[in-house]
Amino acid sequence: MKPELVAQITFATWTHDNLVPQASFKGLREDNPAKEVVCELPVASKPSSRKRSSPQSTAEPTRNRERKNSKVATQLNITHPEKVLDRESGMTKLALAQYYVGVAERMLPHIVD
């Protein structure tokens, strides 16, 4: 395989397998020869000055919330539900899945087919 095209993407990190998860394609680059492309490290984002909010309500006791979240994670078959997907907001895999469950009835008709 010979490199011929250069794509510009944005990404957060490299995986342990040297893959780029959840990359965002920005376009093809014609100004850079493919043979000169090197492996780049992600650029660290600046920490936000605003207060981070918890993706879960703090009104519910922690022990009950953990039991409830564990049950939902098991029902949805989510591995590592506590994994933070967005550092700035603190959004976890479980919180995102719960959001999708909550909006599924309204969202699914728009994305079918």
Side-chain angles (χ1 to χ4, degrees):
M1 181 182 274
K2 292 189 286 184
E4 295 179 6
L5 299 174
V6 176
Q8 181 174 349
I9 61 169
T10 58
F11 61 98
T13 188
W14 291 95
T15 66
H16 296 293
D17 301 332
N18 290 325
L19 299 175
V20 181
Q22 301 175 351
S24 175
F25 177 75
K26 299 299 181 187
L28 292 176
R29 299 282 303 262
E30 295 180 7
D31 58 330
N32 293 347
K35 292 180 181 181
E36 293 180 11
V37 174
V38 296
C39 179
E40 296 181 11
L41 297 175
V43 176
S45 62
K46 294 180 180 179
S48 175
S49 60
R50 69 181 191 199
K51 184 179 178 182
R52 296 181 184 189
S53 61
S54 172
Q56 300 166 341
S57 170
T58 56
E60 188 178 359
T62 304
R63 184 179 298 160
N64 291 339
R65 188 171 62 233
E66 287 172 0
R67 261 192 240 132
K68 179 179 160 186
N69 288 345
S70 177
K71 184 177 179 181
V72 171
T74 302
Q75 290 173 339
L76 295 176
N77 196 25
I78 298 174
T79 58
H80 308 290
E82 73 286 348
K83 180 178 179 182
V84 176
L85 300 176
D86 180 54
R87 290 184 206 129
E88 187 172 335
S89 69
M91 176 70 72
T92 63
K93 286 175 72 173
L94 178 61
L96 181 61
Q98 289 172 325
Y99 169 76
Y100 283 137
V101 167
V103 300
E105 187 176 328
R106 295 186 125 205
M107 183 174 71
L108 290 176
H110 298 285
I111 62 172
V112 68
D113 295 330

